[in-house]
Amino acid sequence: MTLTYIPGEQRHHWWNEWLDSKQSFPATGNYDLAANAHGLLMVHNEDTVFPGEGFDSHEHRNMEILTWVLDGTLEHTDSEGNSGLIRPGLIQRMSAGTGIRHTERNASSLTSRDKLRVVQMWIPPDADGRVPSYDELDVRDELASGELVCVASGMPDRNGIRIGNRFAALHVARLQPGQSITVPDAPFGHVFVADGSAAFEDIGDLAQGDAVRLSSTGGHRVTASTASEIMIWEMHATFA
């Protein structure tokens, strides 16, 4: 049973003239994503994208890609004919399968000053070669409860948008000061403070951008110190 505290400033940092990417696992460059993964989580980027900018058309294969917007609006289009505007409280899932091309951009115009801040996460599917698919789910009403909400899962006993891996689930909570949630018990877990600050049982205070990686444990209380948004991956498998 292990708990590993990862301060936000220790994340891999990559930037250019329009993108500021803070990466819980190094993803930009010639990295072995599977070797650096925790459980099934290969990519966990907090990206800030300048107005009117974004990623031109590029391809993915055999990957489950989840996108969660913290501030601003993301514009998505793909080669399967899907398009959408993703705002806070809307979870997006793209299953790349045999291959899909897509674009991702800050929907704000160049003349605006509205930056896009988004968390993008990648896990592998539990089987390769599936037909590409796309979905969105609005979970704002559920998050208003202050409870830990399962927003995406491939596990049969979980709610949320369906993903192509039966060993993983993503949970989100929006907490007011003093409210608490409990980390699910699992072989692998990843807790991320997307906004605000919180106290993590047996670790201490966490600030925005901090994370805790768990192995073979759970049940820890996370209590908001300020208005906070907490994201938790629950994973019951690993690449090994």
Side-chain angles (χ1 to χ4, degrees), residues 42-229:
M42 305 169 70
V43 169
H44 190 285
N45 293 352
E46 180 188 350
D47 292 339
T48 299
V49 184
F50 284 31
E53 301 287 357
F55 295 93
D56 293 331
S57 181
H58 57 284
E59 186 176 40
H60 297 282
R61 291 180 181 271
N62 294 317
M63 193 64 65
E64 299 293 302
I65 299 174
L66 290 162
T67 302
W68 183 254
V69 171
L70 299 173
D71 298 299
T73 303
L74 180 146
E75 181 181 6
H76 165 95
T77 63
D78 65 46
S79 55
E80 296 292 305
N82 302 299
S83 63
L85 295 174
I86 313 303
R87 298 181 173 89
L90 189 73
I91 183 74
Q92 180 201 61
R93 184 268 299 158
M94 187 176 73
S95 298
T98 53
I100 191 170
R101 299 189 65 84
H102 75 137
T103 65
E104 304 165 281
R105 305 188 67 81
N106 183 339
S108 297
S109 67
L110 285 169
T111 56
S112 79
R113 296 186 178 181
D114 297 329
K115 293 182 179 180
L116 167 69
R117 188 164 63 98
V118 58
V119 178
Q120 188 168 97
M121 300 150 281
W122 298 8
I123 66 169
D126 56 24
D128 289 345
R130 291 178 172 145
V131 175
S133 63
Y134 175 90
D135 202 1
E136 303 168 3
L137 181 66
D138 189 333
V139 293
R140 287 174 295 178
D141 289 346
E142 291 86 345
L143 290 172
S145 69
E147 303 291 331
L148 189 64
V149 177
C150 186
V151 300
S153 177
M155 301 169 66
D157 59 343
R158 298 289 195 275
N159 296 321
I161 203 168
R162 305 313 296 169
I163 58 177
N165 193 308
R166 65 187 184 278
F167 301 108
L170 172 64
H171 308 265
V172 177
R174 287 180 177 168
L175 304 176
Q176 294 303 310
Q179 289 185 315
S180 297
I181 54 173
T182 301
V183 179
D185 189 34
F188 301 94
H190 185 273
V191 177
F192 176 70
V193 181
D195 267 324
S197 58
F200 191 106
E201 186 178 14
D202 298 328
I203 291 288
D205 293 334
L206 303 180
Q208 193 282 323
D210 290 354
V212 177
R213 296 178 194 167
L214 303 90
S215 299
S216 302
T217 189
H220 304 273
R221 299 291 287 173
V222 181
T223 304
S225 305
T226 61
S228 301
E229 186 159 304

